[in-house]
């Protein structure tokens, strides 16, 4: 999706996304995470009043705005899509949120108490380079809270089936743990959320299909079919264990 296409997609999918989550669980996230998961992961990362947070690949910053409102942190959202950040700024209102358009990496230097990366680790083929920058941006003792899609790299046959396969770079868990250790980040908590995310993927598929006519009228039938195809693949892969979704909190070691 090109950066100037984000606003039409947000508008077209808003109603279906809102209906796909349980009561109180939709906070304008563009992912499989529920609000309760977002809040719990932020809490495990120590986000609270006065804590400085940088949210990478924040999109329209639904989770970031939710965390800022709930926990009172200071917040910087970073994304390459200027149209997404226009929406984020408008919807942030009086919240203490700042936003910066940037291609990642590089990332703003900080230092920050917490760095977030929700549901977009798979978009980076060179993960160690990204993790090095994140580690540099954290204070000693700072936390990196993120989710990742764990598994072996896609086969050529799988890449042909996955829309936008050039943004899907799976990583085996041992490789990720090794990369984190090399850049000075030590995992202090992790949890498999595959089952919960597969359920959300299925719910989104049903909601998009139910609202297909209205969605296609705004973004086109081809874009809708690609969206559904990608969600069906993620649902299948999560169900059979081809991919695992894992949430982490890693802490920067004192030098």
């Amino acid at each position: 999706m090109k950066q100037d296409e984000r606003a039409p997609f947000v508008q077209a999918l808003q109603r279906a996304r809102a209906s796909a989550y349980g009561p109180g669980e939709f906070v304008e996230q563009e992912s499989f995470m529920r609000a309760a998961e977002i809040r719990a992961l932020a809490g495990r990362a120590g986000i609270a009043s006065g804590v400085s947070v940088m949210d990478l690949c924040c999109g329209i910053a639904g989770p970031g705005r939710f965390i800022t409102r709930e926990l009172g942190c200071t917040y910087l959202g970073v994304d390459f899509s200027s149209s997404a950040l226009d929406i984020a700024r408008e919807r942030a209102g009086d919240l203490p949120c700042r936003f910066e358009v940037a291609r990642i990496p590089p990332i703003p230097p900080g230092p920050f108490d917490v760095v977030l990366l929700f549901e977009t680790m798979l978009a980076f083929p060179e993960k160690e380079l990204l993790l090095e920058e994140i580690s540099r941006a954290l204070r000693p003792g700072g936390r990196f809270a993120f989710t990742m899609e764990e598994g072996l790299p896609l086969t050529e046959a799988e890449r042909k089936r996955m829309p936008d396969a050039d943004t899907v770079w799976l990583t085996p868990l041992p490789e990720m743990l090794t990369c984190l250790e090399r850049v000075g980040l030590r995992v202090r908590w992790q949890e498999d959320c595959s089952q919960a995310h597969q359920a959300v993927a299925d719910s989104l598929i049903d909601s998009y299909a139910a609202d297909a006519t209205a969605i296609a009228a705004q973004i086109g039938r081809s874009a809708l079919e690609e969206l559904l195809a990608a969600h069906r693949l993620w649902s299948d892969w999560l169900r059979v264990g081809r991919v695992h979704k894992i949430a982490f909190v890693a802490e920067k070691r004192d030098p």
Side-chain angles (χ1 to χ4, degrees):
M1 185 188 305
K2 296 184 177 66
Q3 67 177 40
D4 61 350
E5 294 177 337
R6 182 67 64 87
F9 268 76
V10 169
Q11 181 178 352
L13 302 179
Q14 179 84 1
R15 182 169 62 186
R17 282 174 169 162
S19 69
Y21 296 83
E25 294 292 349
F26 181 65
V27 290
E28 297 190 317
Q29 64 268 51
E30 301 169 275
S31 71
F32 297 156
M33 296 182 79
R34 295 171 291 110
E37 276 184 271
I38 295 165
R39 177 66 172 77
L41 186 53
R44 289 185 180 277
I47 297 177
S49 178
V51 171
S52 59
V53 176
M54 177 168 61
D55 185 9
L56 300 176
C57 304
C58 67
I60 67 169
R65 290 181 276 118
F66 171 64
I67 289 168
T68 304
R69 184 171 57 251
E70 290 279 305
L71 302 176
C73 58
T74 61
Y75 175 88
L76 172 64
V78 183
D79 200 276
F80 186 55
S81 170
S82 59
S83 66
L85 294 186
D86 286 343
I87 296 169
R89 288 188 188 95
E90 178 184 357
R91 298 184 181 179
D94 295 332
L95 289 171
C97 296
R98 297 182 295 118
F99 300 97
E100 182 174 327
V101 178
R103 185 180 290 277
I104 301 166
I107 64 175
F112 296 92
D113 297 314
V114 177
V115 173
L116 305 175
L117 183 67
F118 291 160
E119 306 285 80
T120 45
M121 181 65 80
L122 82 167
F124 295 92
E126 300 294 334
K127 291 181 173 50
E128 189 159 346
L129 173 62
L130 173 69
L131 294 172
E132 286 173 354
E133 296 242 348
I134 289 169
S135 182
R136 280 197 292 269
L138 284 168
R139 303 181 192 277
R143 285 82 60 199
F144 175 39
F146 68 103
T147 60
M148 69 168 284
E149 293 75 10
E150 188 274 337
L152 295 173
L154 297 185
T155 65
E156 280 305 309
E158 288 170 335
R159 296 189 72 80
K160 289 177 181 176
R161 295 175 61 204
M162 172 59 73
D164 294 327
D166 58 341
T167 64
V168 179
W169 304 99
L170 299 175
T171 305
L173 180 58
E175 183 178 327
M176 174 57 68
L177 295 176
T178 298
C179 285
L180 288 165
E181 282 287 340
R182 277 203 293 256
V183 303
L185 296 171
R186 179 165 297 160
V187 173
R188 71 180 199 189
W189 175 85
Q190 70 183 69
E191 183 172 272
D192 191 302
C193 45
S194 302
Q195 186 174 1
H197 284 207
Q198 190 233 318
V200 173
D202 288 343
S203 186
L204 284 165
I205 291 166
D206 291 342
S207 292
Y208 292 153
D211 206 23
T213 300
I215 294 172
Q218 296 179 76
I219 64 173
R221 175 61 60 177
S222 176
L224 172 60
E225 290 302 328
E226 286 192 355
L227 183 71
L228 286 167
H231 279 64
R232 287 169 182 145
L233 280 175
W234 287 121
S235 174
D236 289 345
W237 291 346
L238 288 166
R239 185 177 61 257
V240 302
R242 168 64 179 90
V243 175
H244 294 91
K245 288 294 294 293
I246 306 176
F248 294 87
V249 176
E251 186 172 68
K252 182 175 179 177
R253 297 193 298 265
D254 256 320

